[in-house]
Structures are given as C-alpha cells and as structure tokens.
Amino acid sequence: MKETKFSMPVIFVEDIQISKKFYQNLFSLEVEMDFGQNIVFKEAFSIWEKNRAKEIIFQNKLIDQEEKRYNNVELYFETLDIQSIWEKILSSKVEIIHPIKEEAWGQRVFRVYDPDKFIIEVAEPMAEVVKRLSKLGLSRENISIKTQMALETIVHILDGNS
C-alpha cells in the first residue's frame, strides 16, 4: 500500500473573503490556490466557505445542533492508493460520512469521522487528478476548467515538473 500523507487542516468559515483578508493582512499568508469558495494558503492551511463545504461533504442534508458542534474542522490527507485506505475503513468501525466519490473538480475522495468527530478527508493528490484526466483524453484547457486550476499549473504537472 502506498503512503498516506497529511496535507493540511481545513477551517470552515462564514465569509471566505473576510477570512482571506484576515489571514493575508494579519499573518501575511500567501494564497497558493484560490478556487473562490475554497482557498489554500501556501505552506499553511485551507479555508472553505462553510455553506459550500456543507454542500460538498453532506450533500445539503440537515444537520442537527449536536452535529453542528463537530462539523467545522477537517483534516485533509492525500494518498495515491485511495482504494486500499477505503478498504481499511470498511473493515473498521469508523463512522463514514460518505464513500469514495468523484467531486465536480475531478478529485476522488471519501470522508469519515475520527473518534472525536473531526472530519477526516482522504483524497487523491490534485496532480494525480490532472494526470488521470489527461489520460482520459481531456485537453489541458478542459482540465484547467474542470479542476479550477491555472493552465500554467496543469502544464507544469503534465510536463513532469510537479
């Protein structure tokens, strides 16, 4: 089985633009990727617009007050072997939020709760998503559109510079 690597914590925020300015202005964090409702700060963490995260993770199902206490932090892991990790999850007593699915941006992912009800996301690295979409015949421009990643980043990955 290939290694699973911790990538970053993800904080769910009410207003992405207010939080983006807060972290940029007060802590000089540099934006690595800005997907609009999801921003990755270089060598730090990611922030997600809370309503968008709820839509992606829970498919807009109603969450009761008790669950709301827990569903505001996510620990994000990446692996090249998502299927093996998923099989380990299935053979354990871990509470599953959703099985492996492909997000709109092409990334394969599943989410579970840890023992303290923190959300754990396990996903394939975006560089692998780009390579997989290329092998499926998508043009670099269409990969850029689907993944919401800059065309320069797609070229960089596909030309072997990732």
Side-chain angles (χ1 to χ4, degrees):
M1 177 171 54
K2 296 181 178 148
E3 139 185 350
T4 301
K5 172 184 128 203
F6 177 71
S7 186
M8 72 185 76
V10 179
I11 301 169
F12 302 139
V13 301
E14 293 295 332
D15 186 309
I16 198 90
Q17 293 306 317
I18 289 173
S19 293
K20 177 182 172 182
K21 288 177 186 167
F22 174 84
Y23 290 109
Q24 284 181 307
N25 295 341
L26 292 177
F27 300 103
S28 301
L29 293 185
E30 183 182 336
V31 173
E32 182 175 340
M33 296 274 199
D34 186 338
F35 301 106
Q37 296 171 317
N38 177 357
I39 295 170
V40 179
F41 292 110
K42 191 173 189 173
E43 299 178 3
F45 56 93
S46 181
I47 56 176
W48 265 34
E49 186 102 18
K50 189 180 285 186
N51 288 334
R52 179 67 172 144
K54 180 181 171 188
E55 177 185 319
I56 297 288
I57 296 169
F58 299 104
Q59 292 80 47
N60 287 322
K61 80 168 183 125
L62 293 176
I63 296 175
D64 67 30
Q65 285 303 106
E66 181 67 15
E67 287 177 310
K68 282 184 182 179
R69 293 187 338 160
Y70 302 108
N71 295 321
N72 58 2
V73 173
E74 176 180 89
L75 302 177
Y76 176 71
F77 292 82
E78 290 185 339
T79 182
L80 296 173
D81 194 3
I82 195 168
Q83 193 62 44
S84 291
I85 302 298
W86 177 244
E87 288 169 13
K88 282 173 92 173
I89 294 294
L90 287 176
S91 66
S92 71
K93 295 183 182 197
V94 172
E95 185 179 350
I96 296 168
I97 298 171
H98 67 75
I100 295 174
K101 66 177 182 172
E102 185 173 312
E103 299 291 9
W105 55 90
Q107 187 178 37
R108 295 180 66 229
V109 57
F110 68 84
R111 292 179 181 89
V112 298
Y113 284 117
D114 83 349
D116 293 299
K117 293 284 243 178
F118 290 113
I119 297 168
I120 305 295
E121 176 178 340
V122 180
E124 60 185 343
M126 284 304 294
E128 294 304 310
V129 173
V130 168
K131 292 172 188 174
R132 181 169 47 79
L133 293 175
S134 179
K135 287 179 186 171
L136 291 173
L138 271 72
S139 70
R140 291 173 180 214
E141 292 78 13
N142 285 339
I143 294 170
S144 175
I145 291 167
K146 182 167 183 69
T147 63
Q148 304 170 38
M149 297 170 72
L151 183 57
E152 304 81 52
T153 303
I154 304 302
V155 169
H156 187 76
I157 292 168
L158 293 176
D159 288 348
N161 302 316
S162 63

